[in-house]
Amino acid sequence: RAMARMSQCMNPVYGAGGRCEYKLRAADGGQNSLAAAPPGPPSHPPMSELKRTPLRDFHAAHGARLVDFAGWEMPVQYRSILEEHKAVRRAAGLFDVSHMGEVDVHGPEAGKFLNHLVTNDVAKLFPGRVLYSPMCYANGGVVDDLLVYMRGSEDYFLCINAGNIDRDLAWIREQAARFAVTVTDRSADYALVAVQGPRAAQIVQSLTGAKLGLVKYYHFVEGTVAGVHCLVSRTGYTGEDGFELYHAAGDAAALAESLLAAGAPLGLELVGLGARDSLRLEAGYPLYGHELTPEISPLTAGLGWTVKLDKGADFIGRAALAAEREKGASHKVVFFKTGDRRIVRAETPVLGPEGATVGRVLSGTLSPMLNEAIGSALVTTAAAANPLAVDIRGTKINLLPVKPPFVELKKR
């Protein structure tokens, strides 16, 4: 499983020839040509005030369409979201995810603290192992979902969502106050790129002496890639095999160019956040702010496997989640396809058999591989087993239940 690692919804709009654009503010200060915003005061800061990753100029030089994404100037696409998506499924894609946050947790009680902080079982980690977990409030709602890396018995490393960095840090530090740990924000020190797809391992292996075949899914090693020291993590957010490479911010451009040069003959393409979102939804992965929120618990979201009530340590939200598991959740996150290309937008009401509203859409996009609309919805548990539908401009569209992933993915 991969973590929900984008913190803002993007609404795709498909134009002539299947080209996909997104309703986000363009880096030239204008609006996307296929999704012009209505007149009125801007809801985003000026582009000059946006944060930039170390690869911003790399993106511009390679023709990226840069947009305001959760306060960051990021590439939403390069050539075509549809083609970038397909490249990842068929060969490989290179992503910049340097906007993610990184946090060091050190100290004699680091493991004990993290096992109190998150719902999954940190005690099962060993050096070189990665853990995905939600981090909850006392009421069982989700603060964020994150990755926990164990480097040593007193040395852990967290990767948190870009849009939640300040809030997460404040929460983590508040909870850490009674433990013998030090929490350090390392977000500005790191860049992060991901190589994902069936040929990802071949591409990265060509640039490193590390034996990547020995690195299992959700494990990591440290080594050099194209001469750059990296934490090489076999993780990702696409459902494909691949690696995420954490490295010093100053080395980002050189590493990206080396990866692109090595991968291009094998079909590697640069991929923006637009395809990253459609890839994660096709794989059935949650996105914070959509399938996971302060109001949607991990159990409601279908992530019960991440909630270890019997791990032998009390954790924040345990009592509320235990009660929810015992009584059953009132709502449930479900995934669907439609057999139709019309995209079902987030917040669209979901209707039951009698036409009553029984929930709302959480995420929706067009699957480039299926060529039909897919999405997720939050509905009442009672309604989840019944036929569901939405109304799109007066047309009833049935929601066909799907157990993700939506496409066949290689077992790891």
Side-chain angles (χ1 to χ4, degrees):
R1 304 285 299 201
M3 71 181 299
R5 295 163 65 184
M6 295 167 64
S7 57
Q8 175 178 330
C9 177
M10 297 187 294
N11 290 323
V13 177
Y14 289 84
R19 184 173 177 82
C20 180
E21 307 267 351
Y22 272 75
K23 287 186 176 180
L24 291 177
R25 189 165 178 267
D28 59 8
Q31 294 289 332
N32 184 297
S33 61
L34 294 182
S43 57
H44 299 275
M47 296 303 287
S48 60
E49 296 179 8
L50 295 178
K51 291 174 281 188
R52 292 179 169 182
T53 78
L55 289 174
R56 189 272 175 194
D57 292 342
F58 169 89
H59 301 313
H62 287 278
R65 183 169 185 82
L66 296 165
V67 299
D68 175 356
F69 177 81
W72 289 81
E73 188 177 357
M74 296 294 291
V76 70
Q77 68 185 76
Y78 295 84
R79 184 163 65 95
S80 156
I81 289 175
L82 294 176
E83 294 307 314
E84 291 165 25
H85 180 115
K86 291 176 181 178
V88 175
R89 291 279 181 249
R90 296 169 179 169
L94 176 61
F95 303 77
D96 176 18
V97 280
S98 301
H99 57 318
M100 302 297 292
E102 291 83 19
V103 181
D104 281 341
V105 180
H106 294 154
E109 292 189 316
K112 180 180 179 182
F113 163 62
L114 290 171
N115 222 16
H116 170 72
L117 184 72
V118 304
T119 64
N120 213 332
D121 192 357
V122 175
K124 290 187 176 180
L125 289 180
F126 49 83
R129 191 73 166 92
V130 189
L131 181 74
Y132 167 77
S133 183
M135 174 172 64
C136 287
Y137 293 107
N139 67 0
V142 180
V143 181
D144 201 0
D145 59 338
L146 48 85
L147 293 183
V148 180
Y149 291 78
M150 184 179 182
R151 293 184 291 209
S153 60
E154 300 184 7
D155 184 4
Y156 294 80
F157 174 79
L158 311 179
C159 183
I160 58 180
N161 278 304
N164 298 343
I165 293 174
D166 292 342
R167 186 183 65 187
D168 283 4
L169 278 167
W171 176 260
I172 292 169
R173 285 170 172 154
E174 179 183 350
Q175 310 313 314
R178 60 187 181 89
F179 293 87
V181 296
T182 301
V183 176
T184 307
D185 180 12
R186 298 292 307 282
S187 304
D189 300 328
Y190 282 96
L192 175 60
V193 295
V195 185
Q196 301 281 297
R199 296 178 183 169
Q202 181 182 355
I203 293 165
V204 179
Q205 185 65 81
S206 72
L207 297 172
T208 181
K211 296 180 179 180
L212 299 184
L214 301 178
V215 183
K216 298 178 182 179
Y217 189 49
Y218 267 68
H219 290 67
F220 72 94
V221 295
E222 297 201 40
T224 59
V225 179
V228 174
H229 182 78
C230 295
L231 186 156
V232 182
S233 175
R234 199 159 203 159
T235 49
Y237 195 43
T238 65
E240 299 292 339
D241 187 22
F243 293 88
E244 295 179 303
L245 309 176
Y246 299 84
H247 55 284
D251 294 328
L255 178 60
E257 292 288 5
S258 295
L259 288 165
L260 184 58
L266 295 173
L268 176 79
E269 290 201 22
L270 295 172
V271 184
L273 295 181
R276 189 165 182 259
D277 190 48
S278 57
L279 286 159
R280 72 91 191 167
L281 188 54
E282 235 180 35
Y285 294 157
L287 168 62
Y288 187 80
H290 293 252
E291 291 79 21
L292 291 170
T293 73
E295 292 75 39
I296 301 176
S297 78
L299 299 180
T300 299
L303 297 177
W305 60 275
T306 69
V307 178
K308 300 298 195 291
L309 296 175
D310 58 353
K311 66 179 179 177
D314 192 19
F315 60 89
I316 302 167
R318 184 186 184 283
L321 292 168
E324 181 179 347
R325 179 167 285 175
E326 180 180 355
K327 298 176 183 177
S330 62
H331 288 74
K332 181 179 182 180
V333 172
V334 297
F335 289 84
F336 63 83
K337 61 181 182 178
T338 66
D340 190 286
R341 295 186 81 253
R342 284 171 285 190
I343 294 170
V344 184
R345 306 288 180 190
E347 300 304 323
T348 300
V350 175
L351 310 177
E354 306 302 321
T357 298
V358 296
R360 60 187 173 87
V361 173
L362 300 173
S363 296
T365 192
L366 179 74
S367 164
M369 306 308 293
L370 301 178
N371 195 33
E372 67 177 299
I374 63 173
S376 65
L378 180 69
V379 300
T380 63
T381 302
N386 298 323
L388 301 172
V390 293
D391 184 295
I392 299 181
R393 292 184 291 277
T395 300
K396 180 184 176 183
I397 303 290
N398 291 323
L399 304 184
L400 310 175
V402 173
K403 183 179 180 180
F406 287 86
V407 296
E408 184 177 353
L409 300 174
K410 182 180 178 181
K411 299 289 185 181
R412 291 186 296 275

